[in-house]
């Protein structure tokens, strides 16, 4: 996830970090940002809002405030900025999670950074702290391929050559603030795996060992699940998956070709069904959006009959176009209506083609991993999930990373 945000007060600007807290974050603010008076509300209890004009304001709230951001949102604030003063535990972020898709921009800032544009004693100042500030922010999810890393240590005992011991640890960390995932606690597991690797190198084990550093732990242990799938899948299933991906890539190529031919003029005879299939998703999406807009217009207090009639006619035309199997003799109006959807479909199929190629690449990697494991019979699986949460004994001087011991089975 890539994110950036800014808080501008007069001629001073500081960076903000969008907070991921609900089902639709990260969200993007308009290019011009959101403007409003800057209000400080402490921990955000209802009493902290007394005597303050919250409607349309930008609210500063202490991060140690449980779920009190809901108070600011319900009172009409335009955005909220959390002020962090100390190290914040994971539980403080989880307190603020919201499953419903509320569009309420929330940001994060360190108190030391805020002090560069405002006095440190903001709790003692009169509100609003500033008559007008501007908050802006852009966020986007990016696609990334996660990788598992592994090392195989052959056993020294020929009689135990196929008795494999697998030791796994994840190396990724989770983030509530984009770009801020220190992973201090999560690092203990992978540190333990690296220590074990060093021990195995110095003292070769009698049985073979596979050390696996997995990714995607926060995605329901995706990395570990993919590794187990690669080992346990039958060759027949892998071939079937490869065949399916190849067929999907071919379909995407055919859809892209027919869409491009439509843009350039006419499509070949018999290509109507393929064109219909290629336009199915963007057409349905556009019709659903129009239906939602029409519902809001009809439920509104002031009904714009002219716009309602126009959108109803547009939706009907799109539905009829979705039933078409012949696209060479369309009216100018219908063709103009379809062209933006054709562009949408081209982008979508290009992205789908890229994804299929990535999946084919990962499938080849899974096959290589499976062939490496073919001669072994797993006898034990150890998954390291070490933590620094428990307090160390009083006489323990070094409380950083535990040093795992190793004894060859």
């Amino acid at each position: 996830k890539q994110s950036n945000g800014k808080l501008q007060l007069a001629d001073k600007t500081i960076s903000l970090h969008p907070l991921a807290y609900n089902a639709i974050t990260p969200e993007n603010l308009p290019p011009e940002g959101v403007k409003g008076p800057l209000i400080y509300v402490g921990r955000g209890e209802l009493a902290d809002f007394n005597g303050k004009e919250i409607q349309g304001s930008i609210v500063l709230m202490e991060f140690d405030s449980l779920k009190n951001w809901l108070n600011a949102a319900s009172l009409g604030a335009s955005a909220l900025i959390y002020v962090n003063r100390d190290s914040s535990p994971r539980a403080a972020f989880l307190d603020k999670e919201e499953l419903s898709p509320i569009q309420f921009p929330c940001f994060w800032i360190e108190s030391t950074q805020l002090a560069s544009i405002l006095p440190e004693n903001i709790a003692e100042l009169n509100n609003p702290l500033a008559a007008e500030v501007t908050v802006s922010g852009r966020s986007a999810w990016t696609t990334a391929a996660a990788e598992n890393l592994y090392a195989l240590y052959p056993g020294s005992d020929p009689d135990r050559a196929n008795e494999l011991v697998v030791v796994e640890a994840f190396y990724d960390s989770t983030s509530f603030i984009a770009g801020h995932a220190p992973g201090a606690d999560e690092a203990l597991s992978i540190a333990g795996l690296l220590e074990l690797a060093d021990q195995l190198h110095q003292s070769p084990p009698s049985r073979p060992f596979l050390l696996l550093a997995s990714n995607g732990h926060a995605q329901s242990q995706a990395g570990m699940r993919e590794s187990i799938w690669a080992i346990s899948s039958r060759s027949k299933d892998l071939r079937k998956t490869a065949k399916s991906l190849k067929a999907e890539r071919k379909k995407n190529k055919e859809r892209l070709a027919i869409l491009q031919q439509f843009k350039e003029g006419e499509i070949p005879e018999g290509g109507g069904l393929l064109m219909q299939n290629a336009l199915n998703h963007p057409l349905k999406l556009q019709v659903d959006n129009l239906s939602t807009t029409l519902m809001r217009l009809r439920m509104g207090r002031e009904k714009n009959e002219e716009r309602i009639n126009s959108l109803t006619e547009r939706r009907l035309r799109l539905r009829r176009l979705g039933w078409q199997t012949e696209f060479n003799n369309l009216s100018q109006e219908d063709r103009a209506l379809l062209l933006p959807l054709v562009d949408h479909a081209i982008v979508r199929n290009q992205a789908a083609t890229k994804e299929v190629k990535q999946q084919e690449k990962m499938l080849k990697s899974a096959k290589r991993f499976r062939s490496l494991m073919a001669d072994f019979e797993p006898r034990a699986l150890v998954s390291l999930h070490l933590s620094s949460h428990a307090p160390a004994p009083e006489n323990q001087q070094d409380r950083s990373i535990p040093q795992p011991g190793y004894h060859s089975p």
Side-chain angles (χ1 to χ4, degrees):
K1 182 173 61 177
Q2 297 178 341
S3 304
N4 64 73
K6 292 180 181 178
L7 170 64
Q8 184 174 351
L9 171 58
D11 59 344
K12 298 177 180 178
T13 301
I14 55 176
S15 298
L16 297 176
H17 303 288
L19 188 73
Y21 71 98
N22 75 0
I24 60 171
T25 53
E27 59 181 284
N28 291 321
L29 296 179
E32 66 275 12
V34 174
K35 300 179 186 293
L38 186 64
I39 308 291
Y40 176 71
V41 296
R43 295 187 72 248
E45 303 290 345
L46 283 174
D48 295 324
F49 292 89
N50 289 343
K52 299 166 185 173
E53 183 60 44
I54 304 301
Q55 181 72 34
S57 66
I58 311 299
V59 170
L60 282 176
M61 185 182 293
E62 297 294 327
F63 187 69
D64 179 22
S65 54
L66 302 177
K67 216 176 182 73
N68 290 337
W69 65 269
L70 288 168
N71 294 333
S74 62
L75 291 171
S78 295
L80 182 144
I81 302 172
Y82 284 114
V83 182
N84 184 57
R85 300 192 182 277
D86 299 301
S87 59
S88 299
R90 176 184 176 86
F93 290 94
L94 295 176
D95 277 340
K96 296 166 177 56
E97 285 192 346
E98 174 62 40
L99 294 179
S100 55
I102 297 175
Q103 291 184 317
F104 183 58
C106 288
F107 298 86
W108 161 287
I109 192 172
E110 293 288 347
S111 59
T112 51
Q113 191 179 9
L114 185 64
S116 65
I117 63 169
L118 288 171
E120 292 187 15
N121 60 334
I122 55 175
E124 302 172 12
L125 303 178
N126 293 327
N127 279 295
L129 302 177
E132 183 179 86
V133 296
T134 302
V135 171
S136 58
R138 299 287 299 172
S139 302
W141 293 105
T142 58
T143 302
E147 295 184 352
N148 290 336
L149 308 175
Y150 57 86
L152 180 63
Y153 292 78
S156 59
D157 186 348
D159 295 331
R160 296 178 170 182
N162 70 335
E163 298 178 1
L164 185 68
V165 177
V166 181
V167 183
E168 176 267 348
F170 60 93
Y171 67 89
D172 57 321
S173 62
T174 55
S175 170
F176 294 96
I177 303 172
H180 290 254
D185 193 57
E186 292 95 332
L188 296 179
S189 298
I190 195 66
L193 191 72
L194 292 173
E195 173 68 17
L196 177 57
D198 186 54
Q199 299 247 3
L200 291 173
H201 175 70
Q202 296 179 24
S203 304
S206 57
R207 290 184 175 91
F209 264 67
L210 176 72
L211 302 190
L212 176 65
S214 64
N215 204 329
H217 184 79
Q219 287 72 46
S220 302
Q221 297 184 324
M224 187 58 182
R225 286 188 289 107
E226 288 296 316
S227 297
I228 297 299
W229 173 81
I231 295 174
S232 60
S233 293
R234 297 178 301 175
S235 298
K236 177 182 176 181
D237 294 331
L238 293 177
R239 288 195 298 270
K240 184 178 179 180
T241 302
K243 186 177 179 180
S244 175
L245 289 173
K246 183 178 180 180
E248 183 62 27
R249 180 158 47 86
K250 182 181 178 182
K251 285 182 181 178
N252 287 334
K253 185 178 180 180
E254 291 172 348
R255 284 191 285 256
L256 282 170
I258 205 76
L259 290 166
Q260 194 60 47
Q261 287 168 340
F262 177 82
K263 287 192 68 175
E264 294 171 356
E266 293 188 353
I267 61 177
E269 188 174 342
L273 287 175
L274 183 60
M275 181 71 177
Q276 183 190 59
N277 177 268
L279 286 174
N280 181 57
H281 180 269
L283 263 171
K284 184 180 183 302
L285 191 63
Q286 183 72 357
V287 167
D288 287 348
N289 287 339
L290 287 171
S291 297
T292 301
T293 302
L294 283 167
M295 181 179 64
R296 289 174 177 170
L297 287 172
R298 287 166 177 159
M299 293 176 65
R301 292 182 179 179
E302 298 181 5
K303 294 182 174 60
N304 186 334
E305 294 296 337
E306 184 178 348
R307 188 174 181 220
I308 288 175
N309 291 335
S310 174
L311 293 179
T312 300
E313 173 63 22
R314 182 183 179 89
R315 183 177 64 176
L316 180 59
R317 294 179 75 93
L318 285 170
R319 279 178 171 164
R320 287 174 175 168
L321 286 170
W323 304 330
Q324 289 275 133
T325 56
E326 173 56 53
F327 293 86
N328 282 332
N329 298 312
L330 297 177
S331 67
Q332 288 284 70
E333 188 175 358
D334 283 346
R335 185 174 176 83
L337 201 59
L338 277 184
L339 280 174
L341 301 180
V342 169
D343 289 335
H344 177 102
I346 288 175
V347 171
R348 185 170 182 270
N349 277 275
Q350 287 173 337
T353 300
K354 184 178 179 180
E355 182 178 349
V356 167
K357 289 180 179 179
Q358 181 66 39
Q359 288 178 347
E360 288 178 322
K361 180 180 178 181
M362 290 188 288
L363 184 61
K364 289 180 181 178
S365 177
K367 286 181 177 179
R368 288 195 298 269
F369 181 63
R370 184 181 183 281
S371 64
L372 180 68
M373 296 292 102
D375 296 331
F376 298 101
E377 180 183 344
R379 293 298 181 90
L381 170 61
V382 180
S383 186
L384 300 180
H385 194 167
L386 307 180
S387 175
S388 61
H389 291 172
E394 292 184 3
N395 61 352
Q396 182 176 327
Q397 298 299 317
D398 183 3
R399 299 189 178 189
S400 54
I401 299 176
Q403 300 297 312
Y406 167 72
H407 301 282
S408 177

